[in-house]
């Protein structure tokens, strides 16, 4: 009897320990914290290292040593509902949220979601855009500097979206949001519509707002890519935008080759042009060669970039100057970035 009792007690203790461990493991899965911090050094190869020379794209616009951004993402995942709070600080975060006069405590994303069914999720709040190949956080991009296509479209949306898993690698997203890059509330009484049709890693994106109050108008955007071999990937982005007869269009290719488990090299070749009334509107061909070396959670990215313009002395959006500070048709720079993810 004593032996039987000992066995029962031992089994009970093992059962209780298993239950407690499972409960603790389940609790740990509900909450998670992640993020990144990045900094960089940049020198212009064809212009003075001062505040006058800039590429016409978002972020990484300083010469010398500079901070990119730091972000902390807190996530809660319940059985059917969850929430994400993504806080950013630094010039890149401020630029992404258009709070350029504030460098601390910026909300990049803040949304709640409900898994209505196995294939349907509703999300409400502020979330990063579904348009384009690149994203705000540099850790998720291969190139450190950004493209003209990404810089010209919206960075984030505030509104409601519904994601549907249609099966057989098909997906559909429908959204209604405040107009383009309206960070908090819509003061115009107007709203924007968005849609995304996905198939096996390829996405066709649509966006529309009225174009009033600085809106984006209409944009169609394709984002995707293909594994051409085990070590070679080709990313693709193409977009066309129109806002009352004017806008932009362009395309970018992202060939990337992994030479080892820790090092990859990639090229971004982009053509970007404005369109509208008149002939010979400004356009740019931007070539960016980037290396990516990983040591644990550290990513080191050396990068060389050359923007060549047509019909746009001084640049599109940016300030393209030569060594004498005179507007010209090309600008080159070397950048060394360091990113830590956690």
């Amino acid at each position: 009897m004593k032996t039987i009792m000992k066995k029962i007690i031992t089994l009970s203790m093992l059962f209780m320990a298993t239950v407690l461990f499972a409960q603790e493991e389940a609790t740990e899965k509900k909450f998670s914290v992640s993020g990144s911090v990045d900094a960089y050094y940049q020198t212009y190869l064809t212009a003075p290292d001062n505040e006058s020379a800039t590429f016409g794209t978002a972020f990484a616009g300083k010469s010398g040593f500079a901070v990119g951004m730091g972000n902390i993402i807190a996530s809660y995942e319940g059985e059917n509902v969850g929430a994400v709070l993504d806080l950013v600080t630094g010039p890149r975060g401020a630029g992404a949220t258009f709070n350029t006069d504030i460098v601390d405590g910026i909300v990049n994303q803040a949304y709640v979601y409900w898994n209505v069914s196995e294939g349907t999720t509703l999300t409400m709040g502020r979330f990063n855009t579904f348009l384009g190949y690149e994203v705000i956080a540099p850790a998720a991009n291969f190139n450190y500097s950004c493209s003209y296509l990404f810089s010209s479209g919206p960075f984030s949306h505030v509104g409601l979206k519904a994601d549907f898993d249609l099966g057989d690698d098909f997906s559909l997203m429908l959204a209604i949001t405040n107009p383009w890059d309206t960070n908090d509330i819509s003061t115009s009484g107007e709203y924007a519509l968005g849609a995304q049709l996905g198939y096996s890693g390829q996405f066709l994106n649509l966006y529309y707002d009225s174009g009033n109050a600085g809106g984006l108008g209409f944009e169609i955007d394709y984002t995707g890519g293909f594994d051409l071999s085990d070590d070679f990937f080709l990313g693709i982005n193409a977009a066309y935008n129109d806002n009352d007869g004017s806008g932009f269009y362009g395309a970018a290719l992202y060939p990337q080759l992994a030479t080892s488990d820790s090092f990859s090299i990639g090229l971004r070749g982009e053509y970007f042009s404005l369109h509208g009334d008149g002939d010979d509107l400004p356009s740019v061909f931007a070539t960016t060669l980037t290396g990516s070396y990983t040591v644990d959670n550290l990513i080191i990215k050396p990068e060389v970039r050359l923007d060549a313009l047509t019909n746009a002395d001084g640049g599109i959006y940016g300030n393209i100057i030569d060594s004498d500070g005179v507007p010209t048709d090309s600008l080159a720079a070397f950048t060394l970035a360091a990113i830590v993810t956690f």
Side-chain angles (χ1 to χ4, degrees):
M1 181 63 69
K2 289 182 179 180
T3 302
I4 294 174
M5 289 300 297
K6 286 182 179 179
K7 289 183 177 180
I8 293 175
I9 292 172
T10 301
L11 289 173
S12 298
M13 292 177 67
L14 288 172
F15 175 76
M16 289 297 297
T18 302
V19 171
L20 290 173
F21 178 80
Q23 289 178 341
E24 182 178 348
E25 187 178 44
T27 301
E28 289 176 353
K29 288 183 178 180
K30 287 186 177 180
F31 294 94
S32 63
V33 176
S34 61
S36 66
V37 176
D38 69 280
Y40 65 96
Y41 170 80
Q42 183 165 266
T43 181
Y44 295 108
L45 304 177
T46 58
D49 280 345
N50 56 43
E51 296 298 322
S52 298
T54 58
F55 291 107
T57 53
F59 319 137
K62 304 293 184 182
S63 58
F65 292 98
V67 173
M69 78 174 205
N71 73 312
I72 296 179
I73 305 172
S75 301
Y76 164 77
E77 182 179 359
E79 184 175 354
N80 294 309
V81 300
V84 171
L85 178 61
D86 179 0
L87 300 178
V88 295
T89 186
R92 190 178 184 116
T97 57
F98 293 95
N99 291 328
T100 54
D101 58 336
I102 304 173
V103 295
D104 295 310
I106 301 169
V107 176
N108 181 32
Q109 299 185 97
Y111 59 84
V112 298
Y113 63 87
W114 173 28
N115 296 320
V116 180
S117 66
E118 186 175 348
T120 302
T121 300
L122 297 177
T123 302
M124 179 178 283
R126 176 180 174 85
F127 42 85
N128 289 159
T129 187
F130 53 92
L131 296 166
Y133 184 87
E134 300 173 10
V135 296
I136 294 171
N141 293 330
F142 190 90
N143 306 102
Y144 185 73
S145 65
C146 292
S147 68
Y148 283 86
L149 287 171
F150 174 73
S151 302
S152 301
F155 294 143
S156 298
H157 310 277
V158 179
L160 172 67
K161 67 174 182 174
D163 290 279
F164 304 96
D165 183 351
L166 304 180
D168 296 324
D169 290 329
F170 280 97
S171 64
L172 175 67
M173 187 279 296
L174 300 173
I176 179 169
T177 68
N178 291 343
W180 174 64
D181 281 324
T182 301
N183 293 332
D184 298 311
I185 61 173
S186 175
T187 58
S188 63
E190 299 182 353
Y191 296 92
L193 301 175
Q196 180 186 80
L197 178 63
Y199 173 71
S200 189
Q202 316 304 312
F203 299 96
L204 181 64
N205 307 302
L206 299 171
Y207 175 90
Y208 173 78
D209 64 33
S210 69
N212 297 329
L216 187 66
F218 169 76
E219 184 169 338
I220 181 170
D221 170 87
Y222 163 72
T223 302
F226 303 92
D227 289 310
L228 302 182
S229 71
D230 291 340
D231 301 322
F232 187 67
F233 174 78
L234 178 64
I236 307 171
N237 185 205
Y240 176 84
N241 166 268
D242 186 84
N243 189 349
D244 196 23
S246 63
F248 63 85
Y249 61 90
L253 296 178
Y254 297 80
Q256 298 162 13
L257 176 65
T259 61
S260 69
D261 291 340
S262 59
F263 184 77
S264 298
I265 188 168
L267 179 74
R268 178 180 61 214
E270 179 186 23
Y271 176 78
F272 178 88
S273 179
L274 302 181
H275 73 83
D277 295 333
D279 299 326
D280 298 329
L281 290 178
S283 62
V284 57
F285 185 80
T287 305
T288 305
L289 182 65
T290 307
S292 182
Y293 179 67
T294 303
V295 182
D296 295 330
N297 292 344
L298 170 65
I299 308 171
I300 301 173
K301 290 184 179 289
E303 181 171 286
V304 177
R305 174 171 177 164
L306 172 64
D307 286 15
L309 311 173
T310 58
N311 306 311
D313 283 348
I316 300 178
Y317 310 144
N319 187 28
I320 309 300
I321 59 175
D322 61 19
S323 58
D324 296 322
V326 178
T328 186
D329 58 2
S330 65
L331 180 66
F334 169 77
T335 305
L336 180 64
I339 308 164
V340 168
T341 61
F342 55 88

